[in-house]
Coordinates of all heavy atoms in Angstrom, one line a residue:
Q1 N 109.6 -47.1 -13.6 CA 108.9 -48.1 -12.8 C 108.3 -47.4 -11.6 O 107.1 -47.7 -11.2 CB 109.9 -49.2 -12.3 CG 110.3 -50.1 -13.4 CD 111.3 -51.2 -12.8 OE1 112.2 -50.8 -12.1 NE2 111.1 -52.4 -13.2
I2 N 109.0 -46.5 -11.0 CA 108.5 -45.7 -9.8 C 107.3 -44.9 -10.2 O 106.3 -44.7 -9.6 CB 109.6 -44.9 -9.2 CG1 110.7 -45.8 -8.7 CG2 109.1 -44.1 -8.0 CD1 112.0 -45.1 -8.4
T3 N 107.4 -44.2 -11.4 CA 106.4 -43.3 -11.9 C 105.1 -44.0 -12.3 O 104.0 -43.5 -12.1 CB 106.9 -42.5 -13.2 OG1 108.1 -41.9 -12.8 CG2 105.9 -41.5 -13.6
I4 N 105.2 -45.3 -12.7 CA 104.0 -46.1 -13.0 C 103.0 -46.1 -11.8 O 101.8 -46.0 -12.0 CB 104.4 -47.5 -13.5 CG1 105.0 -47.5 -14.9 CG2 103.2 -48.5 -13.4 CD1 105.6 -48.8 -15.4
A5 N 103.6 -46.2 -10.6 CA 102.7 -46.3 -9.4 C 101.9 -45.0 -9.3 O 100.7 -45.0 -9.0 CB 103.6 -46.5 -8.2
F6 N 102.5 -43.9 -9.6 CA 101.9 -42.6 -9.5 C 100.8 -42.5 -10.6 O 99.7 -42.0 -10.4 CB 102.9 -41.4 -9.6 CG 102.2 -40.1 -9.5 CD1 101.8 -39.6 -8.3 CD2 102.1 -39.2 -10.6 CE1 101.2 -38.3 -8.2 CE2 101.5 -38.0 -10.5 CZ 101.1 -37.5 -9.3
T7 N 101.2 -43.0 -11.8 CA 100.2 -42.9 -12.9 C 99.0 -43.8 -12.6 O 97.9 -43.4 -12.9 CB 100.9 -43.5 -14.2 OG1 102.1 -42.7 -14.4 CG2 100.0 -43.4 -15.4
I8 N 99.2 -45.0 -12.0 CA 98.1 -45.8 -11.6 C 97.2 -45.1 -10.6 O 96.0 -45.1 -10.7 CB 98.6 -47.2 -11.0 CG1 99.3 -48.0 -12.1 CG2 97.4 -48.0 -10.4 CD1 100.0 -49.2 -11.5
M9 N 97.8 -44.5 -9.6 CA 97.1 -43.8 -8.6 C 96.2 -42.7 -9.1 O 95.0 -42.6 -8.8 CB 98.1 -43.3 -7.5 CG 97.4 -42.5 -6.4 SD 98.5 -42.0 -5.1 CE 99.6 -41.0 -6.0
M10 N 96.8 -41.8 -10.0 CA 96.1 -40.7 -10.5 C 95.0 -41.1 -11.5 O 93.9 -40.5 -11.5 CB 97.1 -39.7 -11.2 CG 98.1 -39.1 -10.3 SD 97.4 -38.4 -8.8 CE 96.4 -37.1 -9.4
G11 N 95.3 -42.1 -12.3 CA 94.3 -42.7 -13.2 C 93.1 -43.2 -12.5 O 91.9 -43.0 -12.8
L12 N 93.4 -44.0 -11.4 CA 92.3 -44.6 -10.6 C 91.5 -43.6 -9.8 O 90.3 -43.7 -9.6 CB 92.9 -45.6 -9.6 CG 93.0 -47.1 -10.2 CD1 93.7 -47.9 -9.1 CD2 91.6 -47.6 -10.5
A13 N 92.2 -42.5 -9.4 CA 91.5 -41.5 -8.5 C 90.3 -40.9 -9.2 O 89.2 -40.9 -8.6 CB 92.5 -40.4 -8.1
G14 N 90.5 -40.5 -10.4 CA 89.4 -39.9 -11.2 C 88.3 -40.9 -11.5 O 87.1 -40.6 -11.3
F15 N 88.7 -42.1 -12.0 CA 87.7 -43.0 -12.5 C 87.0 -43.7 -11.3 O 85.9 -44.1 -11.4 CB 88.4 -44.1 -13.4 CG 88.7 -43.6 -14.7 CD1 90.0 -43.5 -15.2 CD2 87.7 -43.1 -15.6 CE1 90.3 -43.0 -16.5 CE2 88.0 -42.6 -16.8 CZ 89.3 -42.5 -17.3
S16 N 87.7 -43.9 -10.1 CA 87.1 -44.5 -9.0 C 86.0 -43.5 -8.4 O 85.0 -43.9 -7.9 CB 88.1 -44.9 -7.9 OG 88.7 -43.8 -7.3
A17 N 86.3 -42.2 -8.5 CA 85.3 -41.2 -8.1 C 84.0 -41.4 -8.9 O 82.9 -41.3 -8.3 CB 85.9 -39.8 -8.3
A18 N 84.1 -41.7 -10.2 CA 83.0 -41.9 -11.0 C 82.3 -43.2 -10.7 O 81.1 -43.4 -10.6 CB 83.4 -41.8 -12.5
L19 N 83.2 -44.3 -10.6 CA 82.7 -45.6 -10.4 C 82.0 -45.8 -9.1 O 80.9 -46.5 -9.0 CB 83.9 -46.6 -10.5 CG 83.6 -48.1 -10.7 CD1 82.8 -48.4 -11.9 CD2 84.9 -48.9 -10.6
F20 N 82.5 -45.2 -8.0 CA 81.9 -45.4 -6.7 C 81.1 -44.3 -6.2 O 80.7 -44.3 -5.0 CB 83.1 -45.7 -5.7 CG 83.9 -47.0 -6.0 CD1 85.2 -46.9 -6.4 CD2 83.3 -48.2 -6.0 CE1 85.9 -48.0 -6.8 CE2 84.0 -49.4 -6.3 CZ 85.3 -49.3 -6.7
G21 N 80.8 -43.3 -7.1 CA 80.0 -42.1 -6.6 C 78.7 -42.5 -6.1 O 78.2 -42.0 -5.0
G22 N 78.0 -43.5 -6.7 CA 76.7 -44.0 -6.2 C 76.8 -44.7 -4.9 O 75.9 -44.5 -4.0
I23 N 77.9 -45.5 -4.7 CA 78.1 -46.2 -3.5 C 78.3 -45.2 -2.3 O 77.8 -45.3 -1.2 CB 79.2 -47.2 -3.6 CG1 78.8 -48.3 -4.6 CG2 79.6 -47.8 -2.2 CD1 80.0 -49.2 -5.0
V24 N 79.1 -44.1 -2.6 CA 79.4 -43.1 -1.7 C 78.1 -42.4 -1.2 O 77.9 -42.2 0.0 CB 80.4 -42.0 -2.2 CG1 80.5 -40.8 -1.3 CG2 81.8 -42.6 -2.4
E25 N 77.2 -42.1 -2.2 CA 75.9 -41.5 -1.8 C 75.1 -42.4 -0.9 O 74.5 -42.0 0.0 CB 75.1 -41.2 -3.1 CG 75.7 -40.0 -3.9 CD 75.4 -38.7 -3.3 OE1 74.5 -38.6 -2.4 OE2 76.1 -37.7 -3.6

């Protein structure tokens, strides 16, 4: 259960970089 939080965070980190790259620019 504790590890799931880390998995969510790492999964989102890469995909949010792709998803919000245009907004960041």
Side-chain angles (χ1 to χ4, degrees):
Q1 290 178 316
I2 302 164
T3 305
I4 284 171
F6 183 73
T7 305
I8 292 169
M9 177 173 63
M10 296 311 296
L12 270 175
F15 287 120
S16 67
L19 192 62
F20 298 114
I23 296 171
V24 168
E25 287 285 340

